[in-house]
Amino acid sequence: MFVPGDLAGAAVPADESETAARTGTAPDTPPDPAADPVAPAYPAAAGPAVAAPPEDLARAVAALAGARRPLLLAGLGAWRSGAGKILLELGDRLGALYATTVMASGLFHDSPWSLGVCGGFADPAAAALAGEADVIVAFGARLDTFTLHGGRILDPAATVVQVDLTAGPTAERVDVHVRGDAAVVAAQLLDALAAPAPPPPGWRTGATARALPAGWAARPYEDASAGGRIDPRTLTSALAPLLPAQRTVVLDGGHFIGWPAMYWRIPDPAGLVFTGAAFQSIGLGLAGAVGAAVGRPDRTVVAAVGDGGALMGLSELDTLIRSGRPALVVVYDDAAYGFEEHMYAPQGADSATMTFADTDFAGVARALGAAAATVRTVGDLDAVRSWRDRGSPGTLLLDCKVVSGVVAPYLADLIAPHTDG
């Protein structure tokens, strides 16, 4: 199984750049999984407090001084450096909008000026606003192909400033590279920009007038549920309000990743474990769920896997169940390796090598000691309500029989170059 390489972070130095799978330290007593979400706790800086060289800082200040539509883009490096709070202050000083990479999902979710995720999972309205930015300052982000949506998401005339601990730019799109810790450099910029005139009007006001993106949940679509199978958009959006507020979302790799990325809120960057991107593989999602359940017992694990990946990692489902920790496992079951089927069958690959007989994951889960339900309609999600009403005991597995013909937007974009003309 191939996961888009531009999502990966495993080959990047473990400093300010992006890395995918991670867990944090856990308190001794788990809170109520149904409790209201708390404001994100910005972690203390984990890396060296490297300040920007004066000449680099001056170039970044000069770029921002003329900005009319600034955008601050945060990657996982910004989270790791504890830069979230100072970036919000810097953005207010500049009158900027905010966005994150996939790996830093949730960093700005409480800000009214957040566009959410930048890249292939971005809501079209958010992507359109990002494309209007004239200066983009990226903190602790690699600026890979997926984040830049193949180069299409940013205005070609925009100035891109990258703040990172790497020795030089990590993408050709970078105009100004500033070597330094994200939090330290953000504070330097805030100090340097303390004296100028008030932020330019119009950018935030205009974004508000156009209604800052309400997200994929507000975007209409024609429900394709049929024949005892549920539209994955309908499934994922209906699950969103049923998920425990205090959660760690674990994603395997595969076509299905687009649906949780579109419809499920990530509480903060520590609340996402993306094994598919980290290891460029499928079949590791259930193992990641075990690690998240043990490493963060204060949060309920919500693991999303495809049926192909679930079969590869089936032994880890037994481990997860035996752990006794609360976990919701959502299997997107289309009886196929969906990514390959959509990507390569149109190019002539043999579909028989990508599809297989339907699997009774609910039956397997029950045999291993878990609660389980087969989901063909929204009504079948009552199993989640019942599980939560009982205090979310152990593992609940949902074998979701999804329609195979609905293609996630990020994958449609990847397919397009191979099907156009």
Side-chain angles (χ1 to χ4, degrees), residues 6-46:
D6 38 37
L7 278 175
V12 184
D15 45 38
E16 286 280 299
S17 298
E18 295 278 12
T19 308
R22 70 266 183 206
T23 56
T25 55
D28 294 330
T29 304
D32 178 4
D36 291 334
V38 296
Y42 299 107

PDB file of all heavy atoms in Angstrom, residues 6-46:
ATOM      1  N   ASP A   6       4.371  12.731   0.366  1.00  0.00           N
ATOM      2  CA  ASP A   6       4.454  14.091   0.869  1.00  0.00           C
ATOM      3  C   ASP A   6       3.756  14.250   2.211  1.00  0.00           C
ATOM      4  O   ASP A   6       3.773  15.309   2.798  1.00  0.00           O
ATOM      5  CB  ASP A   6       3.863  15.069  -0.150  1.00  0.00           C
ATOM      6  CG  ASP A   6       2.651  14.494  -0.846  1.00  0.00           C
ATOM      7  OD1 ASP A   6       1.876  13.797  -0.185  1.00  0.00           O
ATOM      8  OD2 ASP A   6       2.500  14.733  -2.058  1.00  0.00           O
ATOM      9  N   LEU A   7       3.113  13.194   2.707  1.00  0.00           N
ATOM     10  CA  LEU A   7       2.551  13.238   4.054  1.00  0.00           C
ATOM     11  C   LEU A   7       3.559  12.782   5.089  1.00  0.00           C
ATOM     12  O   LEU A   7       3.370  12.951   6.275  1.00  0.00           O
ATOM     13  CB  LEU A   7       1.336  12.310   4.148  1.00  0.00           C
ATOM     14  CG  LEU A   7      -0.003  12.843   3.654  1.00  0.00           C
ATOM     15  CD1 LEU A   7      -1.030  11.736   3.709  1.00  0.00           C
ATOM     16  CD2 LEU A   7      -0.463  14.007   4.498  1.00  0.00           C
ATOM     17  N   ALA A   8       4.635  12.145   4.644  1.00  0.00           N
ATOM     18  CA  ALA A   8       5.519  11.471   5.590  1.00  0.00           C
ATOM     19  C   ALA A   8       6.448  12.421   6.299  1.00  0.00           C
ATOM     20  O   ALA A   8       6.791  13.473   5.809  1.00  0.00           O
ATOM     21  CB  ALA A   8       6.354  10.424   4.854  1.00  0.00           C
ATOM     22  N   GLY A   9       6.905  12.000   7.479  1.00  0.00           N
ATOM     23  CA  GLY A   9       7.872  12.796   8.203  1.00  0.00           C
ATOM     24  C   GLY A   9       8.987  11.939   8.748  1.00  0.00           C
ATOM     25  O   GLY A   9       9.875  12.422   9.434  1.00  0.00           O
ATOM     26  N   ALA A  10       8.965  10.639   8.469  1.00  0.00           N
ATOM     27  CA  ALA A  10       9.898   9.721   9.109  1.00  0.00           C
ATOM     28  C   ALA A  10      11.339   9.979   8.714  1.00  0.00           C
ATOM     29  O   ALA A  10      12.261   9.712   9.462  1.00  0.00           O
ATOM     30  CB  ALA A  10       9.521   8.280   8.767  1.00  0.00           C
ATOM     31  N   ALA A  11      11.548  10.505   7.507  1.00  0.00           N
ATOM     32  CA  ALA A  11      12.919  10.704   7.047  1.00  0.00           C
ATOM     33  C   ALA A  11      13.480  12.073   7.381  1.00  0.00           C
ATOM     34  O   ALA A  11      14.575  12.410   6.999  1.00  0.00           O
ATOM     35  CB  ALA A  11      12.977  10.493   5.529  1.00  0.00           C
ATOM     36  N   VAL A  12      12.711  12.855   8.113  1.00  0.00           N
ATOM     37  CA  VAL A  12      13.126  14.224   8.427  1.00  0.00           C
ATOM     38  C   VAL A  12      13.857  14.251   9.758  1.00  0.00           C
ATOM     39  O   VAL A  12      13.487  13.540  10.690  1.00  0.00           O
ATOM     40  CB  VAL A  12      11.873  15.123   8.509  1.00  0.00           C
ATOM     41  CG1 VAL A  12      12.284  16.565   8.732  1.00  0.00           C
ATOM     42  CG2 VAL A  12      11.075  14.998   7.235  1.00  0.00           C
ATOM     43  N   PRO A  13      14.920  15.043   9.910  1.00  0.00           N
ATOM     44  CA  PRO A  13      15.599  15.137  11.192  1.00  0.00           C
ATOM     45  C   PRO A  13      14.628  15.483  12.308  1.00  0.00           C
ATOM     46  O   PRO A  13      13.717  16.294  12.123  1.00  0.00           O
ATOM     47  CB  PRO A  13      16.611  16.277  10.967  1.00  0.00           C
ATOM     48  CG  PRO A  13      16.831  16.294   9.500  1.00  0.00           C
ATOM     49  CD  PRO A  13      15.536  15.892   8.876  1.00  0.00           C
ATOM     50  N   ALA A  14      14.815  14.876  13.456  1.00  0.00           N
ATOM     51  CA  ALA A  14      13.874  15.049  14.573  1.00  0.00           C
ATOM     52  C   ALA A  14      14.139  16.350  15.309  1.00  0.00           C
ATOM     53  O   ALA A  14      14.560  16.371  16.447  1.00  0.00           O
ATOM     54  CB  ALA A  14      13.970  13.867  15.527  1.00  0.00           C
ATOM     55  N   ASP A  15      13.934  17.471  14.611  1.00  0.00           N
ATOM     56  CA  ASP A  15      14.091  18.753  15.288  1.00  0.00           C
ATOM     57  C   ASP A  15      12.814  19.553  15.103  1.00  0.00           C
ATOM     58  O   ASP A  15      11.771  19.188  15.602  1.00  0.00           O
ATOM     59  CB  ASP A  15      15.320  19.505  14.751  1.00  0.00           C
ATOM     60  CG  ASP A  15      15.413  19.484  13.235  1.00  0.00           C
ATOM     61  OD1 ASP A  15      14.387  19.574  12.547  1.00  0.00           O
ATOM     62  OD2 ASP A  15      16.533  19.382  12.736  1.00  0.00           O
ATOM     63  N   GLU A  16      12.856  20.661  14.362  1.00  0.00           N
ATOM     64  CA  GLU A  16      11.666  21.456  14.145  1.00  0.00           C
ATOM     65  C   GLU A  16      10.807  20.903  13.023  1.00  0.00           C
ATOM     66  O   GLU A  16       9.717  21.374  12.793  1.00  0.00           O
ATOM     67  CB  GLU A  16      12.070  22.895  13.795  1.00  0.00           C
ATOM     68  CG  GLU A  16      12.571  23.680  14.975  1.00  0.00           C
ATOM     69  CD  GLU A  16      11.413  24.194  15.788  1.00  0.00           C
ATOM     70  OE1 GLU A  16      10.609  24.957  15.255  1.00  0.00           O
ATOM     71  OE2 GLU A  16      11.330  23.801  16.951  1.00  0.00           O
ATOM     72  N   SER A  17      11.328  19.937  12.256  1.00  0.00           N
ATOM     73  CA  SER A  17      10.595  19.460  11.104  1.00  0.00           C
ATOM     74  C   SER A  17       9.510  18.479  11.511  1.00  0.00           C
ATOM     75  O   SER A  17       9.421  18.051  12.647  1.00  0.00           O
ATOM     76  CB  SER A  17      11.552  18.807  10.104  1.00  0.00           C
ATOM     77  OG  SER A  17      12.472  19.761   9.645  1.00  0.00           O
ATOM     78  N   GLU A  18       8.692  18.098  10.507  1.00  0.00           N
ATOM     79  CA  GLU A  18       7.535  17.260  10.769  1.00  0.00           C
ATOM     80  C   GLU A  18       7.922  15.816  11.075  1.00  0.00           C
ATOM     81  O   GLU A  18       8.787  15.237  10.445  1.00  0.00           O
ATOM     82  CB  GLU A  18       6.622  17.249   9.528  1.00  0.00           C
ATOM     83  CG  GLU A  18       6.034  18.589   9.218  1.00  0.00           C
ATOM     84  CD  GLU A  18       4.814  18.871  10.069  1.00  0.00           C
ATOM     85  OE1 GLU A  18       4.575  18.138  11.033  1.00  0.00           O
ATOM     86  OE2 GLU A  18       4.127  19.831   9.746  1.00  0.00           O
ATOM     87  N   THR A  19       7.263  15.222  12.064  1.00  0.00           N
ATOM     88  CA  THR A  19       7.312  13.795  12.327  1.00  0.00           C
ATOM     89  C   THR A  19       5.908  13.388  12.690  1.00  0.00           C
ATOM     90  O   THR A  19       5.154  14.184  13.214  1.00  0.00           O
ATOM     91  CB  THR A  19       8.275  13.466  13.483  1.00  0.00           C
ATOM     92  OG1 THR A  19       9.526  14.087  13.197  1.00  0.00           O
ATOM     93  CG2 THR A  19       8.483  11.973  13.620  1.00  0.00           C
ATOM     94  N   ALA A  20       5.528  12.133  12.443  1.00  0.00           N
ATOM     95  CA  ALA A  20       4.112  11.801  12.570  1.00  0.00           C
ATOM     96  C   ALA A  20       3.726  11.153  13.878  1.00  0.00           C
ATOM     97  O   ALA A  20       2.973  11.715  14.643  1.00  0.00           O
ATOM     98  CB  ALA A  20       3.707  10.912  11.407  1.00  0.00           C
ATOM     99  N   ALA A  21       4.175   9.937  14.159  1.00  0.00           N
ATOM    100  CA  ALA A  21       3.630   9.209  15.300  1.00  0.00           C
ATOM    101  C   ALA A  21       4.256   9.676  16.598  1.00  0.00           C
ATOM    102  O   ALA A  21       5.458   9.807  16.702  1.00  0.00           O
ATOM    103  CB  ALA A  21       3.901   7.721  15.121  1.00  0.00           C
ATOM    104  N   ARG A  22       3.421   9.945  17.593  1.00  0.00           N
ATOM    105  CA  ARG A  22       3.952  10.376  18.882  1.00  0.00           C
ATOM    106  C   ARG A  22       2.895  10.216  19.958  1.00  0.00           C
ATOM    107  O   ARG A  22       1.717  10.172  19.677  1.00  0.00           O
ATOM    108  CB  ARG A  22       4.434  11.824  18.851  1.00  0.00           C
ATOM    109  CG  ARG A  22       3.296  12.849  18.725  1.00  0.00           C
ATOM    110  CD  ARG A  22       3.069  13.212  17.314  1.00  0.00           C
ATOM    111  NE  ARG A  22       2.030  14.229  17.190  1.00  0.00           N
ATOM    112  CZ  ARG A  22       1.304  14.355  16.105  1.00  0.00           C
ATOM    113  NH1 ARG A  22       1.494  13.558  15.104  1.00  0.00           N
ATOM    114  NH2 ARG A  22       0.389  15.291  16.024  1.00  0.00           N
ATOM    115  N   THR A  23       3.327  10.156  21.209  1.00  0.00           N
ATOM    116  CA  THR A  23       2.414  10.187  22.339  1.00  0.00           C
ATOM    117  C   THR A  23       3.045  11.066  23.391  1.00  0.00           C
ATOM    118  O   THR A  23       4.228  11.397  23.336  1.00  0.00           O
ATOM    119  CB  THR A  23       2.181   8.783  22.938  1.00  0.00           C
ATOM    120  OG1 THR A  23       3.434   8.220  23.297  1.00  0.00           O
ATOM    121  CG2 THR A  23       1.486   7.879  21.943  1.00  0.00           C
ATOM    122  N   GLY A  24       2.267  11.473  24.370  1.00  0.00           N
ATOM    123  CA  GLY A  24       2.789  12.317  25.426  1.00  0.00           C
ATOM    124  C   GLY A  24       2.753  11.594  26.752  1.00  0.00           C
ATOM    125  O   GLY A  24       2.474  10.414  26.832  1.00  0.00           O
ATOM    126  N   THR A  25       3.032  12.308  27.809  1.00  0.00           N
ATOM    127  CA  THR A  25       2.962  11.713  29.130  1.00  0.00           C
ATOM    128  C   THR A  25       1.540  11.791  29.639  1.00  0.00           C
ATOM    129  O   THR A  25       0.777  12.679  29.285  1.00  0.00           O
ATOM    130  CB  THR A  25       3.882  12.456  30.106  1.00  0.00           C
ATOM    131  OG1 THR A  25       3.529  13.841  30.088  1.00  0.00           O
ATOM    132  CG2 THR A  25       5.334  12.290  29.698  1.00  0.00           C
ATOM    133  N   ALA A  26       1.157  10.866  30.472  1.00  0.00           N
ATOM    134  CA  ALA A  26      -0.224  10.788  30.914  1.00  0.00           C
ATOM    135  C   ALA A  26      -0.323  11.020  32.399  1.00  0.00           C
ATOM    136  O   ALA A  26       0.529  10.588  33.163  1.00  0.00           O
ATOM    137  CB  ALA A  26      -0.786   9.409  30.576  1.00  0.00           C
ATOM    138  N   PRO A  27      -1.390  11.691  32.854  1.00  0.00           N
ATOM    139  CA  PRO A  27      -1.613  11.819  34.291  1.00  0.00           C
ATOM    140  C   PRO A  27      -2.025  10.485  34.884  1.00  0.00           C
ATOM    141  O   PRO A  27      -2.387   9.559  34.165  1.00  0.00           O
ATOM    142  CB  PRO A  27      -2.746  12.842  34.365  1.00  0.00           C
ATOM    143  CG  PRO A  27      -3.443  12.754  33.046  1.00  0.00           C
ATOM    144  CD  PRO A  27      -2.374  12.396  32.052  1.00  0.00           C
ATOM    145  N   ASP A  28      -1.989  10.407  36.201  1.00  0.00           N
ATOM    146  CA  ASP A  28      -2.280   9.140  36.859  1.00  0.00           C
ATOM    147  C   ASP A  28      -3.743   8.741  36.748  1.00  0.00           C
ATOM    148  O   ASP A  28      -4.072   7.569  36.626  1.00  0.00           O
ATOM    149  CB  ASP A  28      -1.885   9.231  38.339  1.00  0.00           C
ATOM    150  CG  ASP A  28      -0.387   9.390  38.506  1.00  0.00           C
ATOM    151  OD1 ASP A  28       0.351   8.889  37.641  1.00  0.00           O
ATOM    152  OD2 ASP A  28       0.025  10.014  39.487  1.00  0.00           O
ATOM    153  N   THR A  29      -4.657   9.708  36.794  1.00  0.00           N
ATOM    154  CA  THR A  29      -6.073   9.391  36.817  1.00  0.00           C
ATOM    155  C   THR A  29      -6.734   9.851  35.531  1.00  0.00           C
ATOM    156  O   THR A  29      -6.765  11.048  35.239  1.00  0.00           O
ATOM    157  CB  THR A  29      -6.765  10.092  38.005  1.00  0.00           C
ATOM    158  OG1 THR A  29      -6.092   9.723  39.192  1.00  0.00           O
ATOM    159  CG2 THR A  29      -8.227   9.684  38.077  1.00  0.00           C
ATOM    160  N   PRO A  30      -7.288   8.920  34.736  1.00  0.00           N
ATOM    161  CA  PRO A  30      -7.937   9.322  33.500  1.00  0.00           C
ATOM    162  C   PRO A  30      -9.195  10.132  33.777  1.00  0.00           C
ATOM    163  O   PRO A  30      -9.980   9.784  34.660  1.00  0.00           O
ATOM    164  CB  PRO A  30      -8.294   7.985  32.824  1.00  0.00           C
ATOM    165  CG  PRO A  30      -7.482   6.954  33.539  1.00  0.00           C
ATOM    166  CD  PRO A  30      -7.277   7.477  34.916  1.00  0.00           C
ATOM    167  N   PRO A  31      -9.422  11.229  33.045  1.00  0.00           N
ATOM    168  CA  PRO A  31     -10.661  11.982  33.214  1.00  0.00           C
ATOM    169  C   PRO A  31     -11.810  11.276  32.508  1.00  0.00           C
ATOM    170  O   PRO A  31     -11.606  10.320  31.771  1.00  0.00           O
ATOM    171  CB  PRO A  31     -10.345  13.312  32.524  1.00  0.00           C
ATOM    172  CG  PRO A  31      -9.345  12.962  31.499  1.00  0.00           C
ATOM    173  CD  PRO A  31      -8.510  11.842  32.089  1.00  0.00           C
ATOM    174  N   ASP A  32     -13.006  11.765  32.713  1.00  0.00           N
ATOM    175  CA  ASP A  32     -14.179  11.231  32.047  1.00  0.00           C
ATOM    176  C   ASP A  32     -14.034  11.431  30.549  1.00  0.00           C
ATOM    177  O   ASP A  32     -13.880  12.559  30.080  1.00  0.00           O
ATOM    178  CB  ASP A  32     -15.416  11.973  32.563  1.00  0.00           C
ATOM    179  CG  ASP A  32     -16.696  11.520  31.880  1.00  0.00           C
ATOM    180  OD1 ASP A  32     -16.626  10.588  31.072  1.00  0.00           O
ATOM    181  OD2 ASP A  32     -17.751  12.109  32.180  1.00  0.00           O
ATOM    182  N   PRO A  33     -14.076  10.336  29.741  1.00  0.00           N
ATOM    183  CA  PRO A  33     -13.911  10.483  28.294  1.00  0.00           C
ATOM    184  C   PRO A  33     -14.974  11.369  27.669  1.00  0.00           C
ATOM    185  O   PRO A  33     -14.772  11.913  26.602  1.00  0.00           O
ATOM    186  CB  PRO A  33     -14.027   9.041  27.774  1.00  0.00           C
ATOM    187  CG  PRO A  33     -13.737   8.177  28.952  1.00  0.00           C
ATOM    188  CD  PRO A  33     -14.226   8.943  30.145  1.00  0.00           C
ATOM    189  N   ALA A  34     -16.116  11.514  28.322  1.00  0.00           N
ATOM    190  CA  ALA A  34     -17.181  12.318  27.745  1.00  0.00           C
ATOM    191  C   ALA A  34     -17.109  13.769  28.186  1.00  0.00           C
ATOM    192  O   ALA A  34     -17.961  14.578  27.841  1.00  0.00           O
ATOM    193  CB  ALA A  34     -18.538  11.737  28.142  1.00  0.00           C
ATOM    194  N   ALA A  35     -16.100  14.121  28.975  1.00  0.00           N
ATOM    195  CA  ALA A  35     -16.000  15.487  29.492  1.00  0.00           C
ATOM    196  C   ALA A  35     -15.770  16.467  28.359  1.00  0.00           C
ATOM    197  O   ALA A  35     -15.309  16.120  27.285  1.00  0.00           O
ATOM    198  CB  ALA A  35     -14.843  15.574  30.486  1.00  0.00           C
ATOM    199  N   ASP A  36     -16.105  17.715  28.617  1.00  0.00           N
ATOM    200  CA  ASP A  36     -15.891  18.742  27.609  1.00  0.00           C
ATOM    201  C   ASP A  36     -14.406  18.888  27.332  1.00  0.00           C
ATOM    202  O   ASP A  36     -13.574  18.733  28.219  1.00  0.00           O
ATOM    203  CB  ASP A  36     -16.438  20.093  28.102  1.00  0.00           C
ATOM    204  CG  ASP A  36     -17.951  20.083  28.170  1.00  0.00           C
ATOM    205  OD1 ASP A  36     -18.566  19.300  27.428  1.00  0.00           O
ATOM    206  OD2 ASP A  36     -18.493  20.855  28.969  1.00  0.00           O
ATOM    207  N   PRO A  37     -14.041  19.198  26.056  1.00  0.00           N
ATOM    208  CA  PRO A  37     -12.627  19.371  25.745  1.00  0.00           C
ATOM    209  C   PRO A  37     -12.049  20.569  26.480  1.00  0.00           C
ATOM    210  O   PRO A  37     -12.732  21.555  26.725  1.00  0.00           O
ATOM    211  CB  PRO A  37     -12.629  19.600  24.219  1.00  0.00           C
ATOM    212  CG  PRO A  37     -14.010  20.049  23.904  1.00  0.00           C
ATOM    213  CD  PRO A  37     -14.917  19.398  24.911  1.00  0.00           C
ATOM    214  N   VAL A  38     -10.781  20.449  26.838  1.00  0.00           N
ATOM    215  CA  VAL A  38     -10.112  21.549  27.517  1.00  0.00           C
ATOM    216  C   VAL A  38      -9.266  22.297  26.503  1.00  0.00           C
ATOM    217  O   VAL A  38      -8.957  21.794  25.434  1.00  0.00           O
ATOM    218  CB  VAL A  38      -9.215  21.029  28.664  1.00  0.00           C
ATOM    219  CG1 VAL A  38     -10.056  20.366  29.725  1.00  0.00           C
ATOM    220  CG2 VAL A  38      -8.176  20.046  28.130  1.00  0.00           C
ATOM    221  N   ALA A  39      -8.892  23.511  26.855  1.00  0.00           N
ATOM    222  CA  ALA A  39      -8.021  24.289  25.971  1.00  0.00           C
ATOM    223  C   ALA A  39      -6.696  23.570  25.833  1.00  0.00           C
ATOM    224  O   ALA A  39      -6.208  22.965  26.785  1.00  0.00           O
ATOM    225  CB  ALA A  39      -7.810  25.682  26.559  1.00  0.00           C
ATOM    226  N   PRO A  40      -6.092  23.592  24.630  1.00  0.00           N
ATOM    227  CA  PRO A  40      -4.843  22.860  24.440  1.00  0.00           C
ATOM    228  C   PRO A  40      -3.748  23.389  25.354  1.00  0.00           C
ATOM    229  O   PRO A  40      -3.592  24.594  25.529  1.00  0.00           O
ATOM    230  CB  PRO A  40      -4.503  23.121  22.965  1.00  0.00           C
ATOM    231  CG  PRO A  40      -5.258  24.353  22.597  1.00  0.00           C
ATOM    232  CD  PRO A  40      -6.498  24.328  23.430  1.00  0.00           C
ATOM    233  N   ALA A  41      -3.021  22.479  25.955  1.00  0.00           N
ATOM    234  CA  ALA A  41      -1.885  22.859  26.794  1.00  0.00           C
ATOM    235  C   ALA A  41      -0.652  22.904  25.906  1.00  0.00           C
ATOM    236  O   ALA A  41      -0.237  21.897  25.375  1.00  0.00           O
ATOM    237  CB  ALA A  41      -1.705  21.849  27.919  1.00  0.00           C
ATOM    238  N   TYR A  42      -0.101  24.071  25.711  1.00  0.00           N
ATOM    239  CA  TYR A  42       1.060  24.190  24.837  1.00  0.00           C
ATOM    240  C   TYR A  42       2.279  23.609  25.541  1.00  0.00           C
ATOM    241  O   TYR A  42       2.618  24.009  26.654  1.00  0.00           O
ATOM    242  CB  TYR A  42       1.301  25.653  24.468  1.00  0.00           C
ATOM    243  CG  TYR A  42       0.139  26.261  23.735  1.00  0.00           C
ATOM    244  CD1 TYR A  42      -0.699  27.174  24.343  1.00  0.00           C
ATOM    245  CD2 TYR A  42      -0.125  25.883  22.424  1.00  0.00           C
ATOM    246  CE1 TYR A  42      -1.779  27.719  23.661  1.00  0.00           C
ATOM    247  CE2 TYR A  42      -1.199  26.419  21.739  1.00  0.00           C
ATOM    248  CZ  TYR A  42      -2.013  27.340  22.355  1.00  0.00           C
ATOM    249  OH  TYR A  42      -3.081  27.865  21.684  1.00  0.00           O
ATOM    250  N   PRO A  43       2.940  22.641  24.925  1.00  0.00           N
ATOM    251  CA  PRO A  43       4.075  22.003  25.589  1.00  0.00           C
ATOM    252  C   PRO A  43       5.263  22.946  25.702  1.00  0.00           C
ATOM    253  O   PRO A  43       5.402  23.887  24.931  1.00  0.00           O
ATOM    254  CB  PRO A  43       4.401  20.835  24.650  1.00  0.00           C
ATOM    255  CG  PRO A  43       3.950  21.298  23.301  1.00  0.00           C
ATOM    256  CD  PRO A  43       2.730  22.145  23.560  1.00  0.00           C
ATOM    257  N   ALA A  44       6.103  22.667  26.669  1.00  0.00           N
ATOM    258  CA  ALA A  44       7.345  23.430  26.801  1.00  0.00           C
ATOM    259  C   ALA A  44       8.276  23.045  25.666  1.00  0.00           C
ATOM    260  O   ALA A  44       8.198  21.957  25.111  1.00  0.00           O
ATOM    261  CB  ALA A  44       7.996  23.132  28.152  1.00  0.00           C
ATOM    262  N   ALA A  45       9.142  23.956  25.301  1.00  0.00           N
ATOM    263  CA  ALA A  45      10.081  23.693  24.215  1.00  0.00           C
ATOM    264  C   ALA A  45      10.913  22.460  24.515  1.00  0.00           C
ATOM    265  O   ALA A  45      11.454  22.310  25.597  1.00  0.00           O
ATOM    266  CB  ALA A  45      10.986  24.904  24.010  1.00  0.00           C
ATOM    267  N   ALA A  46      10.973  21.557  23.513  1.00  0.00           N
ATOM    268  CA  ALA A  46      11.719  20.319  23.705  1.00  0.00           C
ATOM    269  C   ALA A  46      13.106  20.393  23.073  1.00  0.00           C
ATOM    270  O   ALA A  46      13.981  19.610  23.407  1.00  0.00           O
ATOM    271  CB  ALA A  46      10.944  19.152  23.096  1.00  0.00           C
TER     272      ALA A  46
END
